[in-house]
């Protein structure tokens, strides 16, 4: 089992797409083990996107991500990090495949609706930045027995 950090960016919240996007992850069979609306601080934004600090788009990215609340989610499942990245699609909505969230719902390489951790190591770092341990539940969905075969969970 892996847990990954997903957040619905300000454009998704402002465009009223939260329900639609959450449904993609939910109906896939993943479990939400934490969720909260966050007005992102400059400090959290800088820490979260530290790897991009030297990129020309960094100031615009900080401005965007702190401009309006985001919906932060901890999502769990086998290979959750890679499964969520596949559901999200390529960074730029104009190039993302149809059927992905960005491919179906977006047209921008900046306002691209959703963040997903890019590796298990990033997921661990990002979850610790965004959630306290007490905010992450340990519940198991009883529907998992219909979503997964035991061999899927090896
Ligand atoms: P990812 O979200 O698909 O992992 P990253 O390359 O990690 O993409 O970039 C982080 C975020 O920075 C993107 O999701 C997007 O919001 C923004 N971003 C990335 N590249 C550009 C760009 O070339 N122009 C403007 N914003 C960008
Ligand atoms: Mg990234």
């Amino acid at each position: 089992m892996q847990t990954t950090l997903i957040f619905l960016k300000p454009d998704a919240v402002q465009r009223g797409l939260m329900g639609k996007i959450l449904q993609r992850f939910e109906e896939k069979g993943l479990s939400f083990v934490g969720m909260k609306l966050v007005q992102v601080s400059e400090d959290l934004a800088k820490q979260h996107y530290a790897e991009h600090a030297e990129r020309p788009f960094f100031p615009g990215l900080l401005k965007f991500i702190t401009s309006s609340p985001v919906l932060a989610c901890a999502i769990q499942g086998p290979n959750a990090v890679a499964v969520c990245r596949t559901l999200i699609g390529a960074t730029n909505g104009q190039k993302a495949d149809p059927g992905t969230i960005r491919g179906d719902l977006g047209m921008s390489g900046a306002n691209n609706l959703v963040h997903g951790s890019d590796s298990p190591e990033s997921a661990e770092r990002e979850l610790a930045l965004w959630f306290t341990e007490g905010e992450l539940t340990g519940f198991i969905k009883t529907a998992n027995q219909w979503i997964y075969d035991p061999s899927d969970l090896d």
Side-chain angles (χ1 to χ4, degrees):
M1 277 290 174
Q2 281 179 353
T3 307
T4 186
L5 177 79
I6 298 296
F7 61 78
L8 310 196
K9 297 184 180 183
D11 53 333
V13 178
Q14 289 282 358
R15 287 176 57 193
L17 293 172
M18 281 192 294
K20 194 169 266 191
I21 295 172
L22 294 179
Q23 188 172 20
R24 300 284 187 114
F25 296 102
E26 198 172 33
E27 64 191 5
K28 177 73 173 161
L30 295 154
S31 298
F32 288 82
V33 296
M35 191 184 292
K36 62 182 176 180
L37 206 58
V38 181
Q39 178 61 59
V40 179
S41 66
E42 185 91 5
D43 185 50
L44 174 59
K46 281 184 177 159
Q47 287 193 67
H48 176 81
Y49 283 121
E51 66 172 313
H52 297 307
E54 306 306 324
R55 305 289 284 279
F57 61 80
F58 189 64
L61 177 58
L62 293 188
K63 194 168 173 202
F64 167 55
I65 226 69
T66 59
S67 64
S68 184
V70 309
L71 184 68
C73 307
I75 293 186
Q76 196 169 70
N79 296 312
V81 170
V83 169
C84 287
R85 292 281 294 191
T86 301
L87 287 178
I88 290 166
T91 303
N92 190 319
Q94 291 178 24
K95 297 177 187 156
D97 288 337
T100 65
I101 295 166
R102 288 168 173 168
D104 286 351
L105 301 174
M107 284 293 286
S108 172
N111 295 13
N112 58 7
L113 299 159
V114 52
H115 167 82
S117 307
D118 63 6
S119 68
E121 296 71 31
S122 302
E124 199 171 326
R125 183 186 81 86
E126 293 172 2
L127 284 166
L129 270 180
W130 286 76
F131 286 97
T132 63
E133 255 180 53
E135 288 172 329
L136 297 179
T137 62
F139 88 108
I140 305 289
K141 275 199 311 202
T142 54
N144 281 358
Q145 64 183 303
W146 301 106
I147 298 167
Y148 303 114
D149 176 82
S151 65
D152 297 319
L153 305 172
D154 286 346

